[in-house]
């Protein structure tokens, strides 16, 4: 029986439901395609014996070209100065990752799979990874997302990401003092600036922008991914990501 590889959000509040309906993406074609990620997220977080991913996401693994949606590929920002991204801005393949620092499966992906993807595809210029903060588990999720963004303002996002997803880090929580400890562990040079950025309107706006993008896609669990417009839901094995990345690179 397949294991659940993503973590779903609690039942959303009315405000969250309103967010999910916000027309962030323009055009009927995008909305239709976005439903694929929403269904994949639902199936990934559904209890056994349901499959881990939807039929669309599963077929993407065996035939990635069939699951690609060009309109969703346009969500890649390709900003060379984006501190929450790694890899060449002009890489042929962009993987957008929607994740929460309180999500156990996101942590598993960050520790077990992402380093392999970086070594195999980012380092040779094939892949770019763009992070999107998608906090779905309450106030500490939101705070960790803002902390990650604040660390990014000093060029230490990925170091903060590694510290926050280290084995056992989630269990220590993401309160104010803990976020400062993570920033120090990540090598953030200016603690005062980090504290100011953490609670700034800019941090809140940046997190909200990413969160609304995910809601507009219909994503309901973390982690969720788009690889050149092909959806993948959950912390799937390395082979699943490799198959989609290599197919996208050839295309």
């Amino acid at each position: 029986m397949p294991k659940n590889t993503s973590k779903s959000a609690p039942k959303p509040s009315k405000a969250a439901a309103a967010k999910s309906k916000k027309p962030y993406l323009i055009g009927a074609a995008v909305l239709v395609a976005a439903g694929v990620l929403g269904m994949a997220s639902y199936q990934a977080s559904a209890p056994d014996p349901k499959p881990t991913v939807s039929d669309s996401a599963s077929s993407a693994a065996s035939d990635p070209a069939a699951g690609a949606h060009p309109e969703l590929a346009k969500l890649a920002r390709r900003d060379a100065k984006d501190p929450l991204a790694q890899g060449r801005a002009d890489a042929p393949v962009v993987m957008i990752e929607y994740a929460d620092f309180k999500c156990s499966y996101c942590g598993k992906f960050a520790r077990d799979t992402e380093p392999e993807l970086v070594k195999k595809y980012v380092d040779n210029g094939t892949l770019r990874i763009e992070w999107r903060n998608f906090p779905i588990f309450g106030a500490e999720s939101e705070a960790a997302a803002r902390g990650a963004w604040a660390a990014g303002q000093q060029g230490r996002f990925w170091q903060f990401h590694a510290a926050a997803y280290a084995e056992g880090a989630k269990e220590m929580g993401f309160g104010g003092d803990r976020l400062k400890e993570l920033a120090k562990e990540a090598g953030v040079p200016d603690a005062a600036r980090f504290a100011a950025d953490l609670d700034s309107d800019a941090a809140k706006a940046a997190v909200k922008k990413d969160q609304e993008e995910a809601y507009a896609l219909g994503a309901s669990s973390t982690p969720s991914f788009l690889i050149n417009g092909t959806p993948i839901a959950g912390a799937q094995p390395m082979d699943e990501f490799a198959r989609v990345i290599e197919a996208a690179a050839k295309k």
Side-chain angles (χ1 to χ4, degrees), residues 26-191:
I26 306 300
V30 173
L31 294 175
V32 171
V36 176
L37 182 55
M39 180 59 71
S41 293
Y42 169 78
Q43 294 285 13
S45 59
D48 293 337
K50 289 184 180 294
T52 305
V53 291
S54 70
D55 292 341
S56 296
S58 294
S59 64
S62 58
D63 182 11
H69 298 278
E71 292 300 315
L72 298 186
K74 295 178 182 178
L75 289 172
R77 295 169 186 171
R78 293 187 178 275
D79 179 358
K81 296 182 180 179
D82 183 356
L84 277 63
Q86 58 180 321
R88 288 170 32 193
D90 62 348
V93 184
V94 177
M95 181 178 80
I96 303 173
E97 176 183 357
Y98 301 91
D100 184 322
F101 286 103
K102 284 182 68 68
C103 164
S104 299
Y105 291 110
C106 299
K108 178 176 175 57
F109 173 79
R111 292 188 299 271
D112 298 346
T113 306
E114 198 156 31
E116 289 188 58
L117 293 176
V118 171
K119 183 177 180 180
K120 188 171 183 179
Y121 299 111
V122 175
D123 288 350
N124 72 7
T126 300
L127 178 67
R128 174 178 174 82
I129 299 175
E130 295 187 356
W131 171 272
R132 303 286 191 270
N133 277 304
F134 186 28
I136 58 177
F137 296 109
E140 284 203 353
S141 289
E142 295 266 1
R146 288 187 280 107
W149 182 88
Q153 301 314 293
Q154 298 187 55
R156 306 301 288 179
F157 168 78
W158 290 104
Q159 291 80 4
F160 185 97
H161 173 279
Y165 276 138
E167 198 74 57
K170 177 175 72 71
E171 287 70 25
M172 298 176 71
F174 295 112
D177 289 342
R178 177 61 181 150
L179 291 175
K180 293 175 184 176
E181 290 175 7
L182 289 171
K184 183 177 180 180
E185 185 178 340
V188 175
D190 188 336

